Amino acid sequence: MAFTLYTLIQTAILCTNAIAVLHEERFLSKIGWGVDQGVGGFGDDPGVKAQILNLIRSVRTVMR
Amino acid sequence: MKAPLTAGKGCGEKRHEIFNTQGVEGASTTGKREAKHNMRLRNSSMDGSDGSQLFDDTSATGPGAQGVYRNQQAGPQAAGGLPGQSLLSDPMSNLAMAYGSSLASQGREMVDKNLDRFIPISKLKYYFAVDTVYVGKKLGILVFPYMHENWEVSYQQDIPVAPRFDVNAPDLYIPTMGFITYILVAGLALGTQNRFSPELLGVQASSALVWLIMEVLAVLLSLYLVTVNTDLTTIDLLAFSGYKYVGYVLVHISANIISSAVSLVNHQTLCFSRMILGVVAGLLFGKLAYYLSLLWCCAAIFVFMIRTLRLKLLSEAAAEGKLVRGARNQLRMYLTMSIAAAQPVFMYWLTYHLIR
């Protein structure tokens, strides 16, 4: 229960790292979360899955 | 080397003869001794004259000139020792002061500009524009949100009205004060259970702060995922999450202070059986008061959050109570419910470890 600010920073770094190490070909395409499978139509309703895929791709791009 | 002469003659003569009749080696040493003796005599005469000239301040050449020069050096130093006069009169220090003040104002401008980039200070001022009436009404709504009817935030030319004029506007004053009061009451609760130490206050503070930050980040992430077009800023979310602290404080106060007050009263009863009954009632009442107030505050904050977020997150049709179909609206409804439901969970989680 004794969470410190340092644990918060640690958690943030570990989560960012976990998202950054998801490999594009070996893993994300296999489970249908690849880059080309996320973009739906051009409607104004991307949906939750498209948003998640966008988030993963942008985190990986920034951390490259 | 000639032998020393007989001791028949007088002292001075003997000395003189010793000086004069010793050998070459002796002559050299005597020469040195004589020179030293003469030098000593000369030095003493010099010191004596120097000292007298320092005090007398005559216009003689060497030492006199040195003494005058020393006096002149002491003069400006004495004038510089007085702070007010020479600083203004000396042009060099004037220039230095002007430069220093311009440098300081430049530094302050730079700090303000950079700080404003990270923490929008002008926006923060809006959240602290409260007054006593607003705080009283808001606390009343937080504890008893069932009678309040109009939950809309009034706007004034696209800018939300300051909290002073609108009860529904979020503010940061109550969460901040609630946080500080929560830490103090937690310290009080630990103290009545003899578990207190000063480091625990810091631990409680950082722990509560971390939970708050994590909750705000989780809400931000879920808002991004559901693509809600809302005008809720991060600070608004911080304010809404911070309203829980009022509930924490109430729960703790009712659980600990009442129980400690009851036990204090019981200590003063003399009859043994009455004392036992009193202590048991105090313990029960402590726990009972905790659970009752926890239930009350959880329900209150749940209703408060739902009614506040309903207007901000859901579309207008759904907010008015009509049943709107569609996956997106359903998702928004779930989001609102889960944000509101997380509050009582947090409330229970962060208070039960202080109750024994």
Side-chain angles (χ1 to χ4, degrees):
Chain A
M1 258 308 294
F3 282 131
T4 55
L5 285 174
Y6 180 65
T7 31
L8 187 69
I9 298 176
Q10 246 183 349
T11 314
I13 291 183
L14 286 176
C15 281
T16 316
N17 181 43
I19 297 181
V21 299
L22 295 172
H23 195 276
E24 184 57 48
E25 316 178 335
R26 292 183 202 161
F27 176 67
L28 290 178
S29 304
K30 298 282 171 57
I31 61 170
W33 276 18
V35 176
D36 49 349
Q37 295 152 355
V39 180
F42 269 117
D44 57 348
D45 186 2
V48 181
K49 181 179 169 185
Q51 290 288 96
I52 295 180
L53 295 187
N54 251 343
L55 189 64
I56 292 179
R57 195 160 51 102
S58 42
V59 169
R60 292 187 65 241
T61 311
V62 167
M63 289 292 137
R64 195 172 297 233
Chain B
M1 193 144 127
K2 291 184 186 165
L5 288 185
T6 58
K9 298 181 183 164
C11 288
E13 276 185 357
K14 197 160 88 172
R15 242 181 265 138
H16 194 71
E17 280 173 10
I18 288 174
F19 274 137
N20 284 332
T21 55
Q22 274 187 352
V24 181
E25 302 94 328
S28 64
T29 54
T30 54
K32 270 186 211 158
R33 223 180 288 149
E34 209 177 32
K36 267 187 221 163
H37 190 61
N38 284 338
M39 276 285 289
R40 250 178 260 130
L41 276 178
R42 220 178 293 134
N43 278 338
S44 61
S45 72
M46 267 292 282
D47 283 339
S49 63
D50 217 7
S52 63
Q53 268 167 7
L54 264 183
F55 286 118
D56 291 339
D57 199 11
T58 60
S59 58
T61 51
Q66 277 175 12
V68 168
Y69 184 65
R70 245 176 262 138
N71 280 338
Q72 271 175 353
Q73 260 182 350
Q77 282 168 6
L82 298 170
Q85 298 174 2
S86 70
L87 269 182
L88 292 176
S89 59
D90 194 7
M92 248 331 262
S93 60
N94 231 357
L95 194 65
M97 226 170 58
Y99 182 63
S101 66
S102 80
L103 201 63
S105 65
Q106 255 181 21
R108 194 189 315 166
E109 268 176 35
M110 203 161 61
V111 165
D112 277 342
K113 195 168 56 154
N114 281 333
L115 195 62
D116 206 18
R117 207 188 301 163
F118 292 122
I119 309 174
I121 294 207
S122 51
K123 282 192 210 157
L124 269 184
K125 278 189 189 168
Y126 159 79
Y127 287 98
F128 283 101
V130 296
D131 64 344
T132 324
V133 175
Y134 169 79
V135 170
K137 280 193 196 165
K138 192 83 183 191
L139 285 178
I141 294 177
L142 276 171
V143 171
F144 197 75
Y146 311 107
M147 302 292 287
H148 190 72
E149 277 125 14
N150 185 21
W151 291 84
E152 281 189 12
V153 181
S154 50
Y155 284 84
Q156 189 191 22
Q157 297 157 356
D158 278 348
I159 307 171
V161 180
R164 210 176 285 149
F165 306 115
D166 180 25
V167 190
N168 295 316
D171 70 315
L172 275 180
Y173 173 79
I174 292 181
T176 318
M177 290 297 142
F179 181 68
I180 297 174
T181 315
Y182 165 68
I183 298 171
L184 293 176
V185 171
L188 186 71
L190 287 173
T192 54
Q193 296 158 23
N194 296 325
R195 276 196 292 156
F196 182 75
S197 79
E199 295 93 32
L200 279 182
L201 276 181
V203 165
Q204 289 290 325
S206 60
S207 181
L209 202 64
V210 163
W211 278 116
L212 183 74
I213 293 177
M214 284 212 287
E215 183 193 346
V216 169
L217 286 179
V219 170
L220 273 175
L221 180 70
S222 55
L223 278 179
Y224 168 75
L225 288 182
V226 178
T227 63
V228 174
N229 287 331
T230 177
D231 54 351
L232 276 180
T233 64
T234 314
I235 307 186
D236 278 339
L237 288 174
L238 196 67
F240 286 135
S241 303
Y243 282 141
K244 284 200 296 298
Y245 289 121
V246 178
Y248 292 169
V249 168
L250 285 175
V251 166
H252 272 305
I253 286 181
S254 66
N256 282 306
I257 295 189
I258 292 183
S259 70
S260 62
V262 167
S263 62
L264 203 68
V265 164
N266 285 331
H267 278 310
Q268 305 191 355
T269 60
L270 294 173
C271 179
F272 196 64
S273 61
R274 239 196 320 167
M275 223 161 77
I276 292 181
L277 267 176
V279 165
V280 165
L283 278 177
L284 266 183
F285 191 48
K287 277 273 189 180
L288 197 64
Y290 167 67
Y291 283 120
L292 279 180
S293 53
L294 184 68
L295 209 60
W296 179 270
C297 288
C298 283
I301 200 86
F302 185 68
V303 171
F304 176 81
M305 287 304 285
I306 285 191
R307 287 203 180 160
T308 310
L309 290 177
R310 188 176 62 171
L311 287 169
K312 299 246 173 186
L313 291 183
L314 301 181
S315 59
E316 278 133 21
E320 282 168 21
K322 302 182 196 141
L323 280 174
V324 183
R325 294 288 167 203
R328 202 150 161 252
N329 283 319
Q330 221 178 19
L331 208 53
R332 280 171 159 184
M333 187 77 68
Y334 283 147
L335 179 67
T336 318
M337 298 291 274
S338 54
I339 292 178
Q343 313 278 327
V345 170
F346 274 119
M347 197 176 285
Y348 178 67
W349 185 258
L350 276 179
T351 56
Y352 87 98
H353 71 282
L354 291 173
I355 306 292
R356 275 302 150 83

